[in-house]
Amino acid sequence: MELTLDDALKKGVAAHETGQYSEARRFYGTVLKFNSKHVVANHNLGILEVQNGTIPKAIPFLRLALEGKPDEGQYWISYIDALIGLNALGDALNMLDQAKKRGATGEAFLQLQKR
């Protein structure tokens, strides 16, 4: 039985949630091999890199997720949070301003602004 991209993504999420990061990375990578712009796989792989402490590796994945679905508030939050983690505060403020111009509101955005 062949694994569909949807199945690979689900397996990646399940592995990620149970802390099996290398397995999650493998499944997310499989999805991205066939669809390099897949927003969920890019976002989740970016989050995985942040959790792994390799924030510079996370940035391109998080950026692609945000570019692919700019109306998804969580993608803005994840990207801005990673920029803060890199101490790229000017870039983080710029992105926060862009998010607000797109109508982003809520506690998570207020917390990012405070940071």
Side-chain angles (χ1 to χ4, degrees):
M1 182 172 110
E2 279 190 32
L3 192 67
T4 67
L5 289 185
D6 223 26
D7 291 337
L9 182 64
K10 287 177 186 174
K11 287 182 179 288
V13 169
H16 195 161
E17 289 174 345
T18 59
Q20 299 171 335
Y21 296 149
S22 62
E23 192 74 1
R25 184 176 280 110
R26 186 172 67 82
F27 282 114
Y28 295 148
T30 297
V31 173
L32 294 175
K33 179 180 175 184
F34 291 97
N35 180 359
S36 64
K37 305 264 187 207
H38 193 284
V39 293
V40 176
N42 272 297
H43 180 259
N44 290 2
L45 190 52
I47 294 300
L48 187 64
E49 293 297 349
V50 169
Q51 291 170 331
N52 192 45
T54 51
I55 298 173
K57 287 183 180 180
I59 295 296
F61 296 114
L62 295 173
R63 184 181 308 122
L64 280 170
L66 180 58
E67 289 171 356
K69 197 167 182 187
D71 293 333
E72 178 61 51
Q74 184 58 54
Y75 294 172
W76 286 94
I77 292 166
S78 298
Y79 186 61
I80 294 166
D81 188 52
L83 290 171
I84 292 170
L86 284 177
N87 206 30
L89 301 182
D91 291 338
L93 279 172
N94 180 40
M95 294 306 292
L96 189 56
D97 286 342
Q98 287 183 44
K100 286 180 182 178
K101 287 176 185 172
R102 293 187 70 89
T105 60
E107 184 62 28
F109 287 99
L110 291 174
Q111 291 304 315
L112 285 172
Q113 189 168 358
K114 287 179 184 178
R115 286 179 54 204

Short mmCIF file of all heavy atoms in Angstrom, two decimals, residues 34-89:
data_model
loop_
_atom_site.label_atom_id
_atom_site.label_comp_id
_atom_site.label_asym_id
_atom_site.label_seq_id
_atom_site.Cartn_x
_atom_site.Cartn_y
_atom_site.Cartn_z
N PHE A 34 7.63 15.92 -2.30
CA PHE A 34 6.64 15.90 -3.38
C PHE A 34 5.88 17.21 -3.54
O PHE A 34 5.31 17.48 -4.59
CB PHE A 34 5.66 14.74 -3.17
CG PHE A 34 6.30 13.41 -3.37
CD1 PHE A 34 6.76 12.68 -2.27
CD2 PHE A 34 6.51 12.89 -4.64
CE1 PHE A 34 7.39 11.46 -2.45
CE2 PHE A 34 7.14 11.68 -4.82
CZ PHE A 34 7.58 10.95 -3.72
N ASN A 35 5.85 18.01 -2.48
CA ASN A 35 5.19 19.32 -2.55
C ASN A 35 5.95 20.28 -1.63
O ASN A 35 5.63 20.41 -0.45
CB ASN A 35 3.72 19.21 -2.12
CG ASN A 35 3.00 20.54 -2.18
OD1 ASN A 35 3.58 21.57 -2.52
ND2 ASN A 35 1.73 20.53 -1.83
N SER A 36 6.96 20.93 -2.19
CA SER A 36 7.85 21.77 -1.39
C SER A 36 7.15 22.97 -0.77
O SER A 36 7.69 23.60 0.12
CB SER A 36 9.04 22.23 -2.23
OG SER A 36 8.58 23.06 -3.29
N LYS A 37 5.97 23.29 -1.24
CA LYS A 37 5.23 24.45 -0.73
C LYS A 37 4.10 24.05 0.24
O LYS A 37 3.30 24.88 0.62
CB LYS A 37 4.62 25.24 -1.90
CG LYS A 37 5.62 25.67 -2.94
CD LYS A 37 6.07 27.06 -2.70
CE LYS A 37 6.94 27.49 -3.87
NZ LYS A 37 7.88 28.48 -3.52
N HIS A 38 4.05 22.80 0.64
CA HIS A 38 3.00 22.32 1.54
C HIS A 38 3.09 23.11 2.86
O HIS A 38 4.06 23.00 3.60
CB HIS A 38 3.16 20.82 1.79
CG HIS A 38 1.97 20.20 2.42
ND1 HIS A 38 1.66 20.36 3.76
CD2 HIS A 38 0.99 19.42 1.90
CE1 HIS A 38 0.57 19.69 4.03
NE2 HIS A 38 0.13 19.11 2.92
N VAL A 39 2.07 23.91 3.13
CA VAL A 39 2.15 24.84 4.26
C VAL A 39 2.21 24.15 5.62
O VAL A 39 2.99 24.57 6.49
CB VAL A 39 1.02 25.90 4.23
CG1 VAL A 39 1.17 26.83 3.05
CG2 VAL A 39 -0.35 25.27 4.25
N VAL A 40 1.42 23.12 5.81
CA VAL A 40 1.41 22.46 7.12
C VAL A 40 2.73 21.73 7.37
O VAL A 40 3.31 21.84 8.46
CB VAL A 40 0.21 21.49 7.25
CG1 VAL A 40 0.26 20.73 8.56
CG2 VAL A 40 -1.10 22.26 7.13
N ALA A 41 3.23 21.03 6.38
CA ALA A 41 4.51 20.33 6.54
C ALA A 41 5.65 21.33 6.78
O ALA A 41 6.51 21.09 7.64
CB ALA A 41 4.81 19.46 5.33
N ASN A 42 5.64 22.44 6.05
CA ASN A 42 6.66 23.47 6.27
C ASN A 42 6.56 24.04 7.68
O ASN A 42 7.57 24.17 8.38
CB ASN A 42 6.55 24.59 5.23
CG ASN A 42 7.34 24.28 3.99
OD1 ASN A 42 8.55 24.16 4.04
ND2 ASN A 42 6.65 24.14 2.87
N HIS A 43 5.35 24.38 8.09
CA HIS A 43 5.18 24.95 9.43
C HIS A 43 5.62 23.96 10.50
O HIS A 43 6.38 24.30 11.42
CB HIS A 43 3.71 25.36 9.66
CG HIS A 43 3.49 25.93 11.01
ND1 HIS A 43 2.92 25.20 12.03
CD2 HIS A 43 3.77 27.15 11.53
CE1 HIS A 43 2.87 25.96 13.12
NE2 HIS A 43 3.37 27.14 12.83
N ASN A 44 5.15 22.73 10.39
CA ASN A 44 5.47 21.74 11.42
C ASN A 44 6.96 21.42 11.46
O ASN A 44 7.53 21.23 12.54
CB ASN A 44 4.65 20.47 11.21
CG ASN A 44 3.19 20.68 11.53
OD1 ASN A 44 2.76 21.78 11.87
ND2 ASN A 44 2.40 19.64 11.39
N LEU A 45 7.60 21.37 10.31
CA LEU A 45 9.05 21.12 10.29
C LEU A 45 9.78 22.32 10.90
O LEU A 45 10.76 22.15 11.64
CB LEU A 45 9.54 20.83 8.88
CG LEU A 45 10.97 20.33 8.75
CD1 LEU A 45 11.25 19.14 9.66
CD2 LEU A 45 11.26 19.95 7.30
N GLY A 46 9.29 23.52 10.63
CA GLY A 46 9.88 24.70 11.26
C GLY A 46 9.75 24.65 12.78
O GLY A 46 10.70 24.94 13.51
N ILE A 47 8.58 24.28 13.26
CA ILE A 47 8.36 24.15 14.70
C ILE A 47 9.28 23.09 15.29
O ILE A 47 9.87 23.27 16.36
CB ILE A 47 6.88 23.80 14.99
CG1 ILE A 47 5.98 24.96 14.60
CG2 ILE A 47 6.68 23.41 16.46
CD1 ILE A 47 6.25 26.26 15.32
N LEU A 48 9.44 21.99 14.58
CA LEU A 48 10.33 20.93 15.02
C LEU A 48 11.76 21.44 15.16
O LEU A 48 12.44 21.13 16.14
CB LEU A 48 10.26 19.76 14.03
CG LEU A 48 10.98 18.48 14.38
CD1 LEU A 48 10.38 17.86 15.63
CD2 LEU A 48 10.89 17.52 13.22
N GLU A 49 12.21 22.24 14.20
CA GLU A 49 13.56 22.80 14.28
C GLU A 49 13.70 23.76 15.46
O GLU A 49 14.72 23.77 16.14
CB GLU A 49 13.94 23.50 12.97
CG GLU A 49 14.07 22.57 11.77
CD GLU A 49 15.18 21.53 11.90
OE1 GLU A 49 16.02 21.59 12.81
OE2 GLU A 49 15.20 20.61 11.05
N VAL A 50 12.67 24.55 15.71
CA VAL A 50 12.69 25.44 16.87
C VAL A 50 12.80 24.61 18.15
O VAL A 50 13.62 24.90 19.03
CB VAL A 50 11.45 26.36 16.91
CG1 VAL A 50 11.34 27.08 18.25
CG2 VAL A 50 11.47 27.37 15.77
N GLN A 51 12.00 23.57 18.25
CA GLN A 51 12.03 22.70 19.43
C GLN A 51 13.38 22.02 19.59
O GLN A 51 13.81 21.74 20.70
CB GLN A 51 10.93 21.64 19.35
CG GLN A 51 9.55 22.22 19.49
CD GLN A 51 8.44 21.23 19.16
OE1 GLN A 51 8.62 20.32 18.36
NE2 GLN A 51 7.29 21.41 19.79
N ASN A 52 14.05 21.79 18.46
CA ASN A 52 15.35 21.14 18.47
C ASN A 52 16.47 22.13 18.79
O ASN A 52 17.62 21.74 18.95
CB ASN A 52 15.59 20.47 17.11
CG ASN A 52 16.76 19.54 17.11
OD1 ASN A 52 16.93 18.74 18.03
ND2 ASN A 52 17.59 19.64 16.07
N GLY A 53 16.13 23.42 18.85
CA GLY A 53 17.14 24.44 19.12
C GLY A 53 17.90 24.90 17.90
O GLY A 53 18.91 25.58 18.01
N THR A 54 17.42 24.50 16.72
CA THR A 54 18.08 24.89 15.47
C THR A 54 17.21 25.91 14.74
O THR A 54 16.71 25.66 13.64
CB THR A 54 18.36 23.65 14.60
OG1 THR A 54 17.15 22.89 14.47
CG2 THR A 54 19.45 22.78 15.20
N ILE A 55 17.04 27.06 15.40
CA ILE A 55 16.14 28.09 14.88
C ILE A 55 16.55 28.59 13.49
O ILE A 55 15.67 28.78 12.65
CB ILE A 55 16.02 29.25 15.89
CG1 ILE A 55 15.40 28.74 17.19
CG2 ILE A 55 15.15 30.37 15.32
CD1 ILE A 55 15.37 29.75 18.32
N PRO A 56 17.84 28.76 13.21
CA PRO A 56 18.17 29.20 11.84
C PRO A 56 17.64 28.26 10.76
O PRO A 56 17.23 28.71 9.69
CB PRO A 56 19.70 29.25 11.84
CG PRO A 56 20.06 29.49 13.27
CD PRO A 56 19.03 28.72 14.06
N LYS A 57 17.60 26.97 11.04
CA LYS A 57 17.05 26.01 10.08
C LYS A 57 15.53 26.15 9.96
O LYS A 57 14.94 25.82 8.95
CB LYS A 57 17.38 24.57 10.49
CG LYS A 57 18.80 24.17 10.27
CD LYS A 57 18.98 22.70 10.64
CE LYS A 57 20.38 22.22 10.44
NZ LYS A 57 20.52 20.80 10.80
N ALA A 58 14.89 26.62 11.03
CA ALA A 58 13.43 26.74 11.07
C ALA A 58 12.92 27.87 10.19
O ALA A 58 11.82 27.77 9.62
CB ALA A 58 12.97 26.97 12.51
N ILE A 59 13.67 28.95 10.09
CA ILE A 59 13.20 30.17 9.44
C ILE A 59 12.69 29.93 8.01
O ILE A 59 11.59 30.37 7.69
CB ILE A 59 14.28 31.27 9.48
CG1 ILE A 59 14.55 31.68 10.94
CG2 ILE A 59 13.92 32.46 8.61
CD1 ILE A 59 13.38 32.33 11.64
N PRO A 60 13.43 29.25 7.14
CA PRO A 60 12.91 29.07 5.77
C PRO A 60 11.60 28.28 5.73
O PRO A 60 10.71 28.61 4.93
CB PRO A 60 14.02 28.30 5.04
CG PRO A 60 15.24 28.47 5.87
CD PRO A 60 14.79 28.71 7.27
N PHE A 61 11.46 27.29 6.58
CA PHE A 61 10.22 26.51 6.61
C PHE A 61 9.05 27.35 7.10
O PHE A 61 7.96 27.33 6.51
CB PHE A 61 10.38 25.27 7.50
CG PHE A 61 11.40 24.30 7.02
CD1 PHE A 61 12.56 24.07 7.74
CD2 PHE A 61 11.22 23.60 5.83
CE1 PHE A 61 13.52 23.17 7.31
CE2 PHE A 61 12.17 22.69 5.38
CZ PHE A 61 13.32 22.48 6.12
N LEU A 62 9.29 28.11 8.16
CA LEU A 62 8.23 28.96 8.70
C LEU A 62 7.85 30.06 7.71
O LEU A 62 6.68 30.41 7.59
CB LEU A 62 8.66 29.54 10.05
CG LEU A 62 8.86 28.51 11.16
CD1 LEU A 62 9.45 29.17 12.40
CD2 LEU A 62 7.57 27.79 11.48
N ARG A 63 8.84 30.60 7.01
CA ARG A 63 8.57 31.63 6.01
C ARG A 63 7.71 31.08 4.87
O ARG A 63 6.75 31.72 4.43
CB ARG A 63 9.87 32.20 5.45
CG ARG A 63 9.63 33.36 4.48
CD ARG A 63 10.90 33.95 3.88
NE ARG A 63 11.87 34.30 4.90
CZ ARG A 63 13.12 33.81 4.96
NH1 ARG A 63 13.55 32.95 4.05
NH2 ARG A 63 13.93 34.19 5.91
N LEU A 64 8.04 29.88 4.40
CA LEU A 64 7.25 29.27 3.33
C LEU A 64 5.82 29.00 3.76
O LEU A 64 4.88 29.19 2.98
CB LEU A 64 7.91 27.97 2.85
CG LEU A 64 9.07 28.14 1.89
CD1 LEU A 64 9.79 26.81 1.67
CD2 LEU A 64 8.60 28.70 0.56
N ALA A 65 5.64 28.57 4.99
CA ALA A 65 4.29 28.33 5.49
C ALA A 65 3.50 29.63 5.52
O ALA A 65 2.36 29.69 5.06
CB ALA A 65 4.34 27.71 6.89
N LEU A 66 4.14 30.68 6.01
CA LEU A 66 3.47 31.99 6.10
C LEU A 66 3.15 32.54 4.71
O LEU A 66 2.05 33.05 4.48
CB LEU A 66 4.35 32.97 6.87
CG LEU A 66 3.80 34.38 7.05
CD1 LEU A 66 2.45 34.35 7.75
CD2 LEU A 66 4.80 35.22 7.83
N GLU A 67 4.09 32.41 3.80
CA GLU A 67 3.85 32.89 2.42
C GLU A 67 2.72 32.10 1.76
O GLU A 67 1.94 32.64 0.98
CB GLU A 67 5.12 32.77 1.59
CG GLU A 67 6.18 33.79 1.97
CD GLU A 67 7.53 33.53 1.31
OE1 GLU A 67 7.69 32.51 0.58
OE2 GLU A 67 8.44 34.34 1.53
N GLY A 68 2.63 30.82 2.08
CA GLY A 68 1.62 29.97 1.48
C GLY A 68 0.22 30.19 2.03
O GLY A 68 -0.77 29.95 1.34
N LYS A 69 0.16 30.64 3.28
CA LYS A 69 -1.15 30.85 3.90
C LYS A 69 -1.05 32.05 4.86
O LYS A 69 -1.05 31.89 6.08
CB LYS A 69 -1.59 29.59 4.64
CG LYS A 69 -3.06 29.58 4.96
CD LYS A 69 -3.52 28.20 5.39
CE LYS A 69 -5.02 28.24 5.66
NZ LYS A 69 -5.46 26.98 6.23
N PRO A 70 -0.97 33.25 4.29
CA PRO A 70 -0.75 34.45 5.11
C PRO A 70 -1.92 34.82 6.02
O PRO A 70 -1.76 35.66 6.90
CB PRO A 70 -0.47 35.54 4.09
CG PRO A 70 -1.09 35.06 2.83
CD PRO A 70 -1.01 33.56 2.87
N ASP A 71 -3.06 34.20 5.84
CA ASP A 71 -4.20 34.50 6.72
C ASP A 71 -4.23 33.61 7.96
O ASP A 71 -5.12 33.75 8.79
CB ASP A 71 -5.51 34.36 5.95
CG ASP A 71 -5.66 35.43 4.87
OD1 ASP A 71 -5.07 36.51 5.02
OD2 ASP A 71 -6.36 35.17 3.88
N GLU A 72 -3.27 32.72 8.09
CA GLU A 72 -3.21 31.82 9.24
C GLU A 72 -2.40 32.48 10.36
O GLU A 72 -1.18 32.59 10.28
CB GLU A 72 -2.57 30.49 8.84
CG GLU A 72 -2.42 29.49 9.96
CD GLU A 72 -3.75 29.10 10.57
OE1 GLU A 72 -4.67 28.73 9.81
OE2 GLU A 72 -3.86 29.16 11.80
N GLY A 73 -3.10 32.92 11.39
CA GLY A 73 -2.45 33.64 12.49
C GLY A 73 -1.33 32.86 13.15
O GLY A 73 -0.30 33.44 13.53
N GLN A 74 -1.51 31.56 13.30
CA GLN A 74 -0.47 30.75 13.96
C GLN A 74 0.84 30.79 13.19
O GLN A 74 1.91 30.73 13.79
CB GLN A 74 -0.94 29.31 14.15
CG GLN A 74 0.06 28.45 14.91
CD GLN A 74 0.38 29.01 16.29
OE1 GLN A 74 -0.51 29.25 17.08
NE2 GLN A 74 1.65 29.19 16.58
N TYR A 75 0.77 30.89 11.88
CA TYR A 75 1.99 30.92 11.09
C TYR A 75 2.76 32.22 11.34
O TYR A 75 3.99 32.23 11.39
CB TYR A 75 1.69 30.75 9.61
CG TYR A 75 1.13 29.37 9.26
CD1 TYR A 75 0.66 29.11 8.00
CD2 TYR A 75 1.06 28.35 10.20
CE1 TYR A 75 0.13 27.86 7.67
CE2 TYR A 75 0.54 27.11 9.88
CZ TYR A 75 0.08 26.87 8.62
OH TYR A 75 -0.42 25.64 8.29
N TRP A 76 2.03 33.33 11.51
CA TRP A 76 2.67 34.60 11.87
C TRP A 76 3.33 34.48 13.24
O TRP A 76 4.48 34.88 13.44
CB TRP A 76 1.64 35.73 11.90
CG TRP A 76 1.20 36.18 10.55
CD1 TRP A 76 0.10 35.75 9.86
CD2 TRP A 76 1.84 37.15 9.72
NE1 TRP A 76 0.03 36.40 8.65
CE2 TRP A 76 1.07 37.27 8.54
CE3 TRP A 76 2.97 37.95 9.86
CZ2 TRP A 76 1.42 38.14 7.52
CZ3 TRP A 76 3.32 38.81 8.84
CH2 TRP A 76 2.55 38.90 7.68
N ILE A 77 2.59 33.92 14.19
CA ILE A 77 3.09 33.79 15.55
C ILE A 77 4.36 32.95 15.58
O ILE A 77 5.37 33.33 16.20
CB ILE A 77 2.01 33.19 16.47
CG1 ILE A 77 0.87 34.20 16.65
CG2 ILE A 77 2.59 32.77 17.82
CD1 ILE A 77 -0.40 33.62 17.24
N SER A 78 4.35 31.83 14.90
CA SER A 78 5.51 30.93 14.89
C SER A 78 6.72 31.61 14.26
O SER A 78 7.84 31.51 14.78
CB SER A 78 5.18 29.65 14.12
OG SER A 78 4.14 28.95 14.75
N TYR A 79 6.49 32.31 13.14
CA TYR A 79 7.60 32.96 12.44
C TYR A 79 8.18 34.09 13.29
O TYR A 79 9.40 34.19 13.46
CB TYR A 79 7.11 33.48 11.09
CG TYR A 79 8.19 34.04 10.22
CD1 TYR A 79 9.26 33.25 9.80
CD2 TYR A 79 8.17 35.37 9.80
CE1 TYR A 79 10.26 33.76 8.98
CE2 TYR A 79 9.16 35.88 8.99
CZ TYR A 79 10.20 35.08 8.58
OH TYR A 79 11.20 35.59 7.80
N ILE A 80 7.32 34.92 13.85
CA ILE A 80 7.78 36.04 14.68
C ILE A 80 8.50 35.51 15.91
O ILE A 80 9.56 36.03 16.30
CB ILE A 80 6.61 36.97 15.05
CG1 ILE A 80 6.05 37.65 13.79
CG2 ILE A 80 7.04 38.01 16.08
CD1 ILE A 80 4.70 38.31 13.98
N ASP A 81 7.96 34.48 16.53
CA ASP A 81 8.59 33.88 17.71
C ASP A 81 9.99 33.36 17.37
O ASP A 81 10.93 33.53 18.16
CB ASP A 81 7.71 32.77 18.25
CG ASP A 81 8.21 32.24 19.58
OD1 ASP A 81 8.43 33.06 20.50
OD2 ASP A 81 8.37 31.01 19.70
N ALA A 82 10.14 32.74 16.22
CA ALA A 82 11.46 32.25 15.81
C ALA A 82 12.43 33.41 15.58
O ALA A 82 13.60 33.33 15.96
CB ALA A 82 11.34 31.39 14.55
N LEU A 83 11.95 34.48 14.98
CA LEU A 83 12.81 35.66 14.78
C LEU A 83 13.27 36.23 16.12
O LEU A 83 14.44 36.61 16.27
CB LEU A 83 12.08 36.73 13.97
CG LEU A 83 11.83 36.40 12.50
CD1 LEU A 83 10.91 37.44 11.87
CD2 LEU A 83 13.16 36.33 11.73
N ILE A 84 12.36 36.26 17.08
CA ILE A 84 12.74 36.72 18.42
C ILE A 84 13.80 35.78 19.00
O ILE A 84 14.77 36.23 19.61
CB ILE A 84 11.50 36.82 19.34
CG1 ILE A 84 10.59 37.96 18.86
CG2 ILE A 84 11.92 37.05 20.79
CD1 ILE A 84 9.22 37.99 19.54
N GLY A 85 13.61 34.49 18.79
CA GLY A 85 14.58 33.50 19.27
C GLY A 85 15.96 33.68 18.66
O GLY A 85 16.96 33.34 19.28
N LEU A 86 16.01 34.25 17.47
CA LEU A 86 17.29 34.54 16.81
C LEU A 86 17.83 35.91 17.22
O LEU A 86 18.89 36.30 16.77
CB LEU A 86 17.12 34.52 15.29
CG LEU A 86 17.01 33.19 14.61
CD1 LEU A 86 16.78 33.37 13.12
CD2 LEU A 86 18.28 32.37 14.84
N ASN A 87 17.07 36.62 18.02
CA ASN A 87 17.39 37.98 18.43
C ASN A 87 17.37 38.94 17.24
O ASN A 87 18.05 39.95 17.23
CB ASN A 87 18.73 38.05 19.17
CG ASN A 87 18.80 39.23 20.10
OD1 ASN A 87 17.78 39.68 20.62
ND2 ASN A 87 19.99 39.75 20.31
N ALA A 88 16.56 38.61 16.23
CA ALA A 88 16.36 39.47 15.06
C ALA A 88 15.14 40.35 15.35
O ALA A 88 14.09 40.22 14.73
CB ALA A 88 16.16 38.62 13.82
N LEU A 89 15.32 41.22 16.33
CA LEU A 89 14.18 41.97 16.85
C LEU A 89 13.60 42.96 15.85
O LEU A 89 12.39 43.15 15.81
CB LEU A 89 14.59 42.67 18.15
CG LEU A 89 15.08 41.74 19.26
CD1 LEU A 89 15.42 42.52 20.51
CD2 LEU A 89 14.07 40.65 19.55
#
